[in-house]
């Protein structure tokens, strides 16, 4: 994955074992029907399927526009989208950020005077990560359709959602739906590298053009197994990334005379202690609801422990059991530390004065790096070892509410689209652009709306990235439902 801290939608379900049977309705909270209910006309099966087909064509064209970042070249994709919108009679604006790099914004207005606090923002990024062409079985930018899949870099991350957002947006215009709020379509740049053309720069320059109270972005997942949706995970918050160097210093000298204060040895000892350290479990409002929902999907034994997680007497043991069962769950429950880089020495026969390791740390929302490092200092307990925080930390953003109308609309639409499969809030271990939006008071939610298997998800940023054609159509239908549910008056 490219980028020091920006990691796109990752594998939610790594190591998960969900019983295929026993899928039950989520605890949807008060007043949230999950039974099929009438939705606006564009959600009816035939027109949605036609729209899905059309959007698949857009997706294929977007795949063929190589927006590998760097350099990005997102402007070509922005111009292609502008052309589609123009044909629909929707004006859009290209927002230049750097040479060849431009975002695109378009708006469907509900009233002459905009009320940004009510507006809904559909956001997706146009750039993609690089490819190792030699490891692909098809041209990564050829948009090959094979065995029911569309192959290509960006099919899942994030051009699929870009095309699905576009479809939902265009459908609103075509049906002449009466809007109860502005709906804004935004295609962004530089998500994968989070450089000078990222959403941060876009907000700084053009916030007034897409300011909104609500947003939907990548960041969540719809997990499919054996042809069925198991559950939809809607990202409402994310962990915060820090990179911290552990630096051991000692006396340099000739390697023929070993020294007790050898920096390499002190670093190795420190890393072993850090590796054995496990930060305390802390359930947030989001993870509490997530585990409540996921408990019902587990086989009896694991489900029992998931249900015990939030109890005073058995919680601690339960956290151990489920953390051992699933590293992704372990990471959702606590601050985590992964050593990722090592450096020391310049000659085989010289004891170096310094040895250094980089730790990639992911804090739970609300936790602070100084508290964790104070704890690690105690654990390491070595005056030769110091911690240095790198300046490229992620942003601590507020969690989006699980109680507002937009979150309810997403839950209702997803349950309807996926046969009543549970819809759970999700706190991602990865970072997304939504942190930037949440810092601007946007209630932002993450969802890659396509039902995908673990295998399909693993290909993201990897080789032979692909999306099942049927899953893409489902995702388009879901986005149409969500937008209609929340932004169209009935
Ligand atoms: Zn992405």
């Amino acid at each position: 994955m490219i980028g020091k801290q920006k990691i796109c939608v990752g594998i939610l379900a790594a190591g998960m074992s969900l019983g295929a049977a026993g899928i039950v309705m989520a605890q949807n909270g008060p007043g949230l029907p999950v039974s099929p209910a009438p939705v606006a006309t564009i959600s009816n099966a035939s027109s949605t399927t036609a729209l899905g087909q059309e959007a698949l064509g857009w997706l294929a064209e977007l795949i063929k526009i190589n927006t590998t970042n760097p350099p990005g070249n997102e402007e070509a994709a922005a111009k292609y989208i502008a052309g589609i919108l123009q044909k629909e009679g929707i004006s859009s604006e290209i927002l230049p950020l750097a040479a060849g790099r431009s975002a695109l914004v378009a708006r469907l207005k509900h009233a002459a005077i905009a009320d940004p606090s009510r507006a809904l923002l559909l956001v997706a990024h146009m750039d993609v990560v690089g490819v190792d062409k030699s490891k692909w079985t098809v041209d990564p930018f050829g948009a090959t359709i094979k065995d029911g899949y569309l192959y290509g870099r960006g099919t899942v991350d994030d051009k699929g959602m870009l095309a699905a957002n576009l479809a939902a947006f265009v459908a609103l215009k075509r049906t002449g739906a009466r809007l109860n709020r502005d709906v804004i379509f935004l295609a962004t740049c530089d998500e994968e590298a989070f450089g000078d053309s990222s959403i941060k720069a876009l907000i700084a320059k053009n916030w007034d053009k897409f300011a909104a109270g609500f947003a939907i972005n990548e960041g969540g997942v719809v997990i499919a197994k054996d042809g069925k949706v198991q559950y939809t995970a809607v990202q409402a918050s994310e962990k915060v990334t820090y990179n911290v160097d552990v630096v051991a210093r000692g006396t340099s000298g000739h390697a023929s005379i070993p020294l007790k204060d050898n920096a390499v040895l002190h670093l190795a000892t420190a890393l072993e202690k850090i590796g054995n350290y496990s930060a305390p479990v802390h359930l947030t409002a989001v993870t509490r609801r997530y585990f409540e929902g996921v408990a019902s999907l587990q086989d009896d034994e694991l489900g029992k422990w998931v249900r015990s997680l939030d109890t005073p007497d058995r919680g601690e043991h339960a956290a151990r059991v489920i953390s051992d069962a699933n590293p992704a769950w372990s990471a959702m429950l606590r601050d985590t530390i992964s050593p990722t880089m090592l450096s020391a020495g310049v000659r085989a026969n010289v004891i170096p004065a310094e040895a250094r390791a980089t730790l990639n740390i992911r804090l739970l929302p609300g936790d602070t790096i100084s508290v964790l490092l104070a704890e690690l200092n105690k654990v390491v307990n070595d005056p030769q070892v110091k911690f240095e925080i790198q300046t490229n930390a992620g942003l601590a953003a507020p969690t989006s509410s699980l109680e507002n109308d937009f979150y309810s609309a997403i839950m209702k639409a997803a349950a309807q689209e996926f046969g009543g499969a549970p819809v759970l809030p999700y706190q991602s271990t990865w970072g997304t652009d939504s942190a930037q939006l949440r810092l601007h008071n946007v209630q932002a939610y993450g969802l890659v709306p396509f039902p995908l298997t673990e295998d399909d998800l693993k290909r993201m940023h990897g080789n032979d990235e692909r999306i099942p054609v049927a899953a893409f159509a489902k995702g388009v239908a879901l986005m149409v439902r969500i937008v209609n549910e929340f932004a169209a008056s009935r």
Side-chain angles (χ1 to χ4, degrees), residues 7-9 124-125 127-129 156-159 191-192 217-219 431-433 448 460-461:
I7 293 181
C8 268
V9 178
H125 62 89
D127 60 316
V128 296
V129 293
V156 176
D157 182 12
D158 183 33
K159 287 176 172 171
E191 193 278 342
E192 298 291 359
N217 184 20
E218 64 179 355
T432 67
D433 279 349
V448 171
M460 204 172 4
H461 287 217

Side-chain angles (χ1 to χ4, degrees), residues 34-285:
V34 290
S35 58
V39 291
T41 49
I42 51 171
S43 286
N44 75 45
S46 61
S47 63
T48 302
T49 308
L51 183 66
Q53 274 297 325
E54 197 177 357
L56 187 70
W58 301 337
L59 174 55
E61 291 307 311
L62 285 165
I63 298 300
K64 290 176 192 167
I65 301 169
N66 185 340
T67 52
T68 299
N69 182 10
N73 283 326
E74 297 94 338
E75 192 168 281
K79 283 182 175 164
Y80 172 70
I81 294 167
I84 293 168
L85 291 170
Q86 194 180 18
K87 274 185 220 150
E88 302 293 328
I90 303 170
S91 60
S92 62
E93 190 178 353
I94 301 267
L95 307 172
L97 290 154
R101 312 195 76 168
S102 297
L104 174 139
V105 67
R107 178 185 296 261
L108 294 172
K109 285 184 177 174
H110 119 273
I113 298 166
D115 178 357
S117 70
R118 285 183 53 79
L120 170 62
L121 181 67
L122 312 176
V123 54
H125 62 89
M126 295 179 285
D127 60 316
V128 296
V129 293
V131 295
D132 178 354
K133 259 190 168 168
S134 68
K135 301 233 165 64
W136 282 62
T137 60
V138 294
D139 177 358
F141 304 102
T144 307
I145 291 185
K146 203 174 70 173
D147 306 327
Y149 292 90
L150 173 65
Y151 283 78
R153 174 56 89 223
T155 44
V156 176
D157 182 12
D158 183 33
K159 287 176 172 171
M161 184 147 189
L162 184 66
N165 284 352
L166 185 61
F169 188 70
V170 162
L172 275 184
K173 177 70 162 52
R174 284 183 186 171
T175 54
R178 206 154 59 83
L179 299 181
N180 56 32
R181 63 189 74 241
D182 281 10
V183 178
I184 305 162
F185 174 88
L186 181 69
T188 62
C189 304
D190 205 11
E191 193 278 342
E192 298 291 359
F194 200 65
D196 293 341
S197 299
S198 74
I199 196 165
K200 189 178 176 189
L202 190 64
I203 288 173
K205 243 177 132 171
N206 294 114
W207 178 236
D208 58 315
K209 295 187 193 295
F210 57 91
F214 304 91
I216 192 151
N217 184 20
E218 64 179 355
V221 280
V222 181
I223 297 291
K225 195 178 176 185
D226 304 328
K228 269 175 80 176
V229 170
Q230 292 211 299
Y231 65 93
T232 300
V234 182
Q235 187 228 44
S237 69
E238 57 190 52
K239 292 179 88 178
V240 184
T241 307
Y242 280 86
N243 292 305
V244 174
D245 281 359
V246 195
V247 189
R249 293 192 175 88
T251 311
S252 178
H254 198 285
S256 65
I257 305 169
L259 299 171
K260 287 253 186 287
D261 74 343
N262 184 318
V264 174
L265 293 173
H266 281 257
L267 179 67
T269 305
L271 288 179
E272 192 191 2
K273 289 175 178 169
I274 291 167
N276 289 329
Y277 171 75
S278 182
V281 168
H282 177 207
L283 283 168
T284 63

Side-chain angles (χ1 to χ4, degrees), residues 467-487:
I467 192 166
V469 169
F472 177 73
K474 277 285 197 188
V476 168
L478 175 56
M479 290 312 298
V480 167
R481 272 188 200 270
I482 289 171
V483 171
N484 270 282
E485 180 68 34
F486 186 57

